[in-house]
Amino acid sequence: MGESTFDQPNGSAVAETRPNAVIAMLVSPTRMTQALMALKNVEDRFNRRLKYPYVLLTEAEISPELQDKISWATEGRATVANLPAEMWDVPEWLDRRKIQESLDIIGYSLGYRSMCRFYSGFFWKHPALSKYDWIWRLDTDIEFHCDIPYDPVQIMIDENKLYGFVQITGDAIGVQPTLAPNASTFLRGASHLLPADANLGFIWRDVPKALQGEAGNNDWTIRTMYDNFEISHRSVWESPIYQAFFDYLDNQGGFFYERWSDAPIHSFGLAMTLRKDQVIQFTDTGYQHQGWGYECPDLARCACVKDSASEGFRDNADWWFEAP
């Protein structure tokens, strides 16, 4: 399997030339304190040593006082960047009545749906991120319970990986009932773009049916990379098939007519573009999102013990590495 545990710093961790990578975080105006706490945790656990820059993406103006706090927490390595309207706002051509009906029935705010669309098709194109080869996405409501004495990005480079993750989960069909059928319809006309060894069994129970454009929700495994922790090389998202996939989905309007999420869309895209061995799992970071279940490694460098949030935790990594 492609999982990695590194207990001690190694040559990769202290390389003189740092990879061209950035830590990206989308910050809601209502979560600034949460973001500062997350940045402090990331600095304490690994980035004060690695010194990767940060880009904080926001739809709000940041006050000088808050910028001072961000600069202090990150030793001046953070850039705050606004979200362009074309990447964030609801497209003009969508039916506002249908959107309102969806909001009333499904819930999830327009801001949440804009976030899903942004992370699905635009984040790596943002001007503040476009110069970086590697993008390490983190959310504001996260915590690392372990020190990380190595450089995960350099490990990925050394081992020829293009995507790094911590956990795989199942996703919900009810809020995105037409996502899988649309993904299958797209594949019917795009199979010529697929690499021969793409890991389609990760996402489809019946791959031939999916390639014929006939698969539906019962054929979707709902297996989803938990992408609030995600390290990716931009070539994954710049691949012709992923770009065509996003454009097709965006034209269907499902980000706003339903609640199509970036996590399953990334997962569909990864299954279309990568081999199993181009992905790596990090099992020794003690990464936790929103206080939910997480892996508490039995390592001295981890400030956690097995409790209700970590006892019996299953990361489901075999869903990717052992997919048919």
Side-chain angles (χ1 to χ4, degrees):
M1 287 174 56
E3 66 181 41
S4 293
T5 300
F6 305 97
D7 289 334
Q8 298 295 331
N10 53 33
S12 298
V14 294
E16 292 184 4
T17 303
R18 187 176 60 231
N20 183 28
V22 65
I23 296 172
M25 184 180 289
L26 184 62
V27 183
S28 166
T30 62
R31 295 189 174 188
M32 292 300 179
T33 297
Q34 188 181 69
L36 285 167
M37 293 176 66
L39 290 169
K40 180 65 173 174
N41 175 255
V42 169
E43 283 289 294
D44 289 347
R45 289 304 190 190
F46 59 88
N47 205 40
R48 186 167 291 114
R49 177 176 57 82
L50 298 180
K51 299 191 182 303
Y52 281 116
Y54 300 88
V55 170
L56 307 184
L57 302 162
T58 181
E59 54 184 313
E61 293 296 325
I62 302 296
S63 69
E65 293 78 12
L66 185 55
Q67 290 192 37
D68 287 344
K69 291 178 181 292
I70 292 169
S71 181
W72 178 268
T74 62
E75 297 180 335
R77 282 179 276 106
T79 299
V80 177
N82 288 115
L83 294 159
E86 63 273 16
M87 294 184 175
W88 189 259
D89 291 355
V90 179
E92 290 293 331
W93 47 268
L94 291 180
D95 185 331
R96 293 308 195 269
R97 179 186 57 82
K98 289 179 65 175
I99 294 175
Q100 189 58 54
E101 288 177 355
S102 175
L103 290 168
D104 293 340
I105 295 170
I106 296 177
Y108 295 93
S109 68
L110 283 178
Y112 185 92
R113 298 177 188 211
S114 291
M115 178 271 292
C116 292
R117 179 173 179 258
F118 172 76
Y119 271 132
S120 294
F122 296 107
F123 75 94
W124 70 94
K125 300 176 183 177
H126 191 287
L129 298 177
S130 61
K131 66 181 179 180
Y132 296 103
D133 297 328
W134 297 89
I135 301 174
W136 185 342
R137 171 189 169 178
L138 294 172
D139 284 2
T140 59
D141 46 1
I142 58 98
E143 182 177 4
F144 289 89
H145 293 276
C146 301
D147 288 343
I148 304 176
Y150 58 90
D151 183 341
V153 181
Q154 188 63 54
I155 292 293
M156 293 178 67
I157 293 170
D158 293 345
E159 299 191 8
N160 296 312
K161 311 298 184 182
L162 294 176
Y163 187 87
F165 75 98
V166 168
Q167 178 186 354
I168 301 173
T169 64
D171 206 42
I173 293 175
V175 294
Q176 47 200 353
T178 67
L179 176 57
N182 270 286
S184 180
T185 300
F186 166 78
L187 280 174
R188 182 177 59 200
S191 58
H192 63 288
L193 296 173
L194 287 167
D197 44 8
N199 194 16
L200 291 173
F202 170 64
I203 210 76
W204 297 110
R205 292 189 173 93
D206 188 332
V207 172
K209 187 176 180 181
L211 293 174
Q212 292 164 8
E214 299 173 356
N217 289 324
N218 290 335
D219 305 297
W220 176 25
T221 65
I222 70 169
R223 294 172 176 174
T224 301
M225 292 291 185
Y226 203 45
D227 67 352
N228 42 74
F229 174 112
E230 172 183 82
I231 305 175
S232 60
H233 191 271
R234 66 171 41 256
S235 62
V236 175
W237 317 117
E238 291 176 343
S239 65
I241 191 166
Y242 186 82
Q243 299 234 48
F245 179 53
F246 171 76
D247 289 343
Y248 176 84
L249 292 181
D250 202 31
N251 286 332
Q252 308 311 304
F255 290 104
F256 295 98
Y257 295 155
E258 297 177 10
R259 191 232 65 181
W260 289 358
S261 180
D262 53 290
I265 289 170
H266 280 196
S267 300
F268 277 111
L270 293 168
M272 293 178 191
T273 57
L274 297 184
R275 303 187 309 267
K276 294 179 183 179
D277 66 351
Q278 291 177 301
V279 172
I280 188 171
Q281 180 200 20
F282 295 100
T283 63
D284 61 349
T285 66
Y287 172 80
Q288 185 179 24
H289 179 239
Q290 293 187 341
W292 295 344
Y294 72 101
E295 178 71 30
C296 176
D298 186 17
L299 298 170
R301 58 182 170 85
C302 297
C304 60
V305 294
K306 298 290 185 183
D307 57 19
S308 58
S310 57
E311 193 72 48
F313 174 78
R314 189 173 188 276
D315 58 37
N316 300 313
D318 57 301
W319 289 355
W320 173 269
F321 297 110
E322 299 177 20

